[in-house]
Amino acid sequence: MIKKFKLYILLAAMAFSAASCLDKMPEDGIPFDESIQTVDDVNLAVIGIYDAFKSSALYSGNLTILPDLQADLVYGVNGNTNTFGDIWRWKDILATNTSIEAVYAGLYNVINRCNFMLDRVDRVRNNTTDDKDLYKLDQCCGEAYFARAIAYSELVKMFCKAYESDEDAANQLGVILTKHYQGNEEMKRASLKASYEFILEDLDRAAQLLALDKDYDPSVDGALFNNATYFNEYTVYALRARVALYMRKWDEAIKYSSKVIDSEYYLLASCTRTISSGVSYYKYMWTDDMSTEAIWKVGFTINSYGGKLGQIFLNYNHVNYRPDYVPANWVFGLYDSNDLRPETIFQTLQTGFSHGLSWPLLIKYAGNNEFIAANILHVSMPKVLRLSEQYLIRAEAYVQQAQPDYGRAGKDITTLRTARYSTYGGSTALSASNAMEVIEAERVKELYMEGFRLHDLKRWHKGFERKPQDQSLANGSSLKVEADDPLFVWPIPQHELDAPGSQVQPNESNK
């Protein structure tokens, strides 16, 4: 159960986080009641929360890669290392899968850190009189509430069924909800409805505490390669829009995505405007992790970074490329001839396998140029929330609402394509017959290998089929997955189910 291993998770993760009083948990020498006593302690605890997102089990690894790898976006290559092979083959996914266990533990690590800090902050606040310090405490609490919300949103996305309606969700399994690090909260799964309500409550708190100065002028520096490594009011709205989309709350999705889009804090990264010779703003986002459209990215330095997103797609050893997985051929056909995204996302390269496969490999995660210069390959800062997703959220919500607005949805797709195409004249004509087909394809093109595909297919109630392509592994290349297959929902890790006194209910995929 969560509380049985929460200290194990926290202590194991502390070696990678900033030094703070959280380095010593109760069993490690400092009683809980003596921890986090000053504003600086609270701030260090929040730094630890941000650092927890660097885990290779989360956005710089499993949480981003596995959902798309499990679906239909890539193929295993003959001669590969079998990394994540059980996930890709689909039928071999078990409750004992260590990659899935790592995601589950990594997300609860974030949640437990947040709870630890939030349980202690009131005592610090009661002993604080300085207005600046009180403001800092509010900011830290806002960051903790948001971090907890996004961690729970990912748990719900991967380990629960799609949200169909409030009535249906009230009868579906959600996740274990905890507000406190210490306490007697029941360690069993809440309903899916209650789980989403918990997320929304945290986002409401975060929005209030992370509100930006209304006198701030975004034209000064807000849309010029923003750092985007910290949470703010619009980070909250971006996640709120995503959650609303997943809950099928179309009006809410439109409301919150519009707050982000209309803020002018962020601008879509142009594929035609250049930062230097041959480097567009869009390319710069992936090669240097600097962007006008990143709403939140996990911040890395060459001395402190997470996993290697590009490893399995390149496996470059300074001599040749031996990718474990290559893009599905059908994906290339989605891009129009004047769409410039493929130039940054893919590059045709000769592999070093004996079969000599030449294929458009995924170079989107080849690595940050500064890291490459330091001989650190395949490391990119995960862009967890981007402006382009907000346009896609709003477009889908426009066409799914009770009275579809195909005109506004078309304008959002047009805006996105204008930023990504060499030229894009006219407008995007959407109708009842083609709107979702266009939006679904645009999500693949724009969000390729960013961790959305499995849940998109789940919530759209669509299956997929793989057919062999050049040098693809025989075991896994011929696969037909029907809509609503149980493995669209990841199994609850077996150690959770087997813990003494466990009340945690399994998923259908556990059976």
Side-chain angles (χ1 to χ4, degrees), residues 284 286-290 297 300-303 305 366-381:
Y284 194 55
W286 301 109
T287 60
D288 292 77
D289 293 323
M290 295 297 290
K297 67 183 180 185
F300 292 171
T301 70
I302 58 173
N303 296 314
Y305 55 90
N368 179 295
N369 280 331
E370 181 184 358
F371 286 62
I372 292 173
N375 201 31
I376 303 169
L377 307 181
H378 309 129
V379 173
S380 300
M381 299 184 208

Side-chain angles (χ1 to χ4, degrees), residues 161-180:
K161 292 185 176 181
Y163 198 106
E164 301 298 336
S165 66
D166 292 346
E167 182 179 6
D168 177 76
N171 297 303
Q172 298 293 344
L173 288 172
V175 295
I176 299 171
L177 301 175
T178 61
K179 289 185 177 180
H180 303 287

Side-chain angles (χ1 to χ4, degrees), residues 171-339:
N171 297 303
Q172 298 293 344
L173 288 172
V175 295
I176 299 171
L177 301 175
T178 61
K179 289 185 177 180
H180 303 287
Y181 183 79
Q182 286 191 333
N184 297 314
E185 295 167 290
E186 192 172 38
M187 292 293 103
K188 63 184 297 185
R189 297 173 71 178
S191 71
L192 184 59
K193 184 174 186 288
S195 299
Y196 270 104
E197 287 172 346
F198 189 99
I199 293 166
L200 295 179
E201 288 171 4
D202 271 359
L203 289 177
D204 284 342
R205 295 188 189 100
Q208 293 175 358
L209 296 169
L210 297 176
L212 292 163
D213 185 351
K214 299 308 179 185
D215 294 329
Y216 176 72
D217 182 3
S219 65
V220 176
D221 61 358
L224 182 61
F225 303 115
N226 56 80
N227 189 34
T229 55
Y230 299 102
F231 310 141
N232 65 41
E233 180 180 356
Y234 292 106
T235 316
V236 178
Y237 296 149
L239 179 59
R240 185 70 183 263
R242 180 191 290 175
V243 168
L245 183 79
Y246 292 169
M247 294 180 72
R248 303 176 65 85
K249 306 289 187 183
W250 314 122
D251 291 344
E252 293 287 293
I254 293 167
K255 173 184 175 180
Y256 287 101
S257 58
S258 295
K259 282 179 177 288
V260 179
I261 293 167
D262 297 342
S263 72
E264 299 185 349
Y265 272 63
Y266 314 97
L267 296 175
L268 288 171
S270 171
C271 281
T272 55
R273 187 179 178 186
T274 58
I275 186 68
S276 62
S277 179
V279 181
S280 68
Y281 277 36
Y282 179 76
K283 184 176 183 178
Y284 194 55
M285 174 166 60
W286 301 109
T287 60
D288 292 77
D289 293 323
M290 295 297 290
S291 174
T292 61
E293 70 173 61
I295 300 169
W296 177 53
K297 67 183 180 185
V298 181
F300 292 171
T301 70
I302 58 173
N303 296 314
S304 178
Y305 55 90
K308 298 184 175 184
L309 280 172
Q311 183 78 53
I312 63 171
F313 304 112
L314 295 173
N315 282 327
Y316 182 60
N317 61 3
H318 298 284
V319 178
N320 55 39
Y321 300 90
R322 297 175 67 89
D324 292 303
Y325 299 93
V326 298
N329 189 51
W330 68 269
V331 171
F332 307 133
L334 297 179
Y335 295 93
D336 293 342
S337 59
N338 56 344
D339 191 329

Side-chain angles (χ1 to χ4, degrees), residues 483-509:
D484 303 319
D485 184 285
L487 284 171
F488 276 109
V489 181
W490 281 356
I492 299 296
Q494 194 64 42
H495 63 68
E496 277 287 86
L497 304 178
D498 293 343
S502 174
Q503 300 180 63
V504 180
Q505 303 98 314
N507 284 328
E508 188 179 351
S509 54

Side-chain angles (χ1 to χ4, degrees), residues 69 74-85 88 310-315 321-327 351 353 361 471-473:
L69 182 147
V74 295
Y75 277 74
V77 180
N78 280 323
N80 78 359
T81 65
N82 197 38
T83 301
F84 304 134
W88 182 71
Q311 183 78 53
I312 63 171
F313 304 112
L314 295 173
N315 282 327
Y321 300 90
R322 297 175 67 89
D324 292 303
Y325 299 93
V326 298
T351 66
F353 295 111
L361 305 186
Q471 294 301 329
S472 62
L473 290 169

